[in-house]
Amino acid sequence: MVSHLFFYQLVLVALVWLCLMLQWVWPSDPAAVCPTAPEPTPPVPKRHHEPTPFAGLTTKPHCDACEHASDLHSEAPRPPPPRMVSTRGRRRQVDTSTHFCPNPDCAYRGWVGWGNLRANGHPNGGPWRQLLCVVCRHYFLETLGTLFHGKRASVELIVRVIACLAEGVGIRGTARVFEVDPNTVLQWLVEAAEQLRAFSRYVLHDVGVRQVQLDELFALLSAVKDGEVSAAEAIERLERSPQWVWVAMDPESKLLLAIAVGDRTLAMAQRLVHQVVEVLALGCVPLCLTDGFKEYTTALLTHCGQWIQPERRQATGPAPKPRWMPLPGLLYAQVVKTVRRRRLVRVRHRVVFGTLEAVQQVLAACGWQSNTAFVERINLAIRQHIAAVGRRVTTLCKGEDGLRQQLALYHVYHNFCLPHTSLRQALPLPEPTNGTGSAKTWRPCTPAMAAGLTDHVWTLREVLLFRVPPWPQPAGV
Ligand SMILES: [Zn+2]
């Protein structure tokens, strides 16, 4: 006990001594002891992020679609023959102005509304009219080249089946609803998709837009939900052949400019941007908004770039090599979202080409002033895509091809047939309805109408009956 007490006292004395010694030895003013010590560095001010200007590339990036573009445009229109105007007799009652002669040997082939066609009644009392080209004496049905040609099933049934597929019901579901064989439904879908792809190519061109949003959405998830594949299988598939739906959209008119399926690679980014550029009017360089996927930069640069000869820095020596630079009008910003537990926690945006002021100016022209609005638009678009595209596409398709066909269908359906609520226009005067309902105050508007491509809402039947001419027709006919 005594030794313990003594020990404690000893420790106490030692501590007191240590404190006194420290106070004496320790300098109260560090500068006085060490006058040459460097000034404590002030806290580093948060560096203003000043992106280094893009230096340009020495070679133009490669794009597969650009290389094969020349193969596709093999069929150039021949010079148009003179128009035929009938002067004798009464006016023709059947309008043939949306048709063209399909005979490859005829000079009037492919020219719509050239006056060379006469209606010839319904052969064998069938549902479709026969048309006659008076130049080459070639008879053909008005459904030639469409899904309905040579089908015995009723038009109504085929249209409803395609509408059901466009609304996102799977092939098997549609087959059950209409009591049709699933293989027949698939066959109709394949034929409709081919026709609608041609329709999109024919109608979507020379589009002028101020903005384009490019997104990729993963498209396998719903297969897991449907119980068709297990999660493990899905992941395995995901690694083997990931399927992404690539979408390019004008956020103002909601027009889907391009839609594609494929991996999340540079080649696919190139293909999507290539498709977008083909649809746009000459000289139209919109503001591009994407997520943080880095390959978009290269893809945009490939299609919206030019060779620039840099200025000489020295008077002598060889001239600097030309550099591939973005077009002066190209604005490109990435929106990088951080999602944690399904909630958006952070949004950053990064201007890649152009200036932040220029980007905000384009957004302000659409009435989207702040950066948050800018972000919400992107989110909204993505959510819409997941509800519409993402959910719809994978219900049927085992393979990538089926996905492509449903997307081709959806592409036209979205652009031409579905009125978009945010696009509707107020009528100057409310129109009374026939029944007891309230008066109509809005004019429905589809993305294609908002983009100025058409003046009315198309029905699916109308789209499917449209005979796509082999080349663009002269305007103002
Ligand atoms: Zn002809």
Side-chain angles (χ1 to χ4, degrees), residues 101 106 133 136:
C101 176
C106 178
C133 173
C136 64

Side-chain angles (χ1 to χ4, degrees), residues 101-103 106-109 116-117 133-138 140:
C101 176
N103 181 3
C106 178
Y108 282 74
R109 177 191 166 238
N116 57 318
L117 301 176
C133 173
V134 295
V135 177
C136 64
R137 310 303 296 175
H138 184 88
F140 60 95

Side-chain angles (χ1 to χ4, degrees), residues 265-288:
T265 57
L266 171 63
M268 272 308 297
Q270 292 277 29
R271 217 163 91 189
L272 186 76
V273 176
H274 183 91
Q275 281 183 32
V276 171
V277 171
E278 279 199 325
V279 163
L280 293 182
L282 201 69
C284 171
V285 185
L287 161 66
C288 298

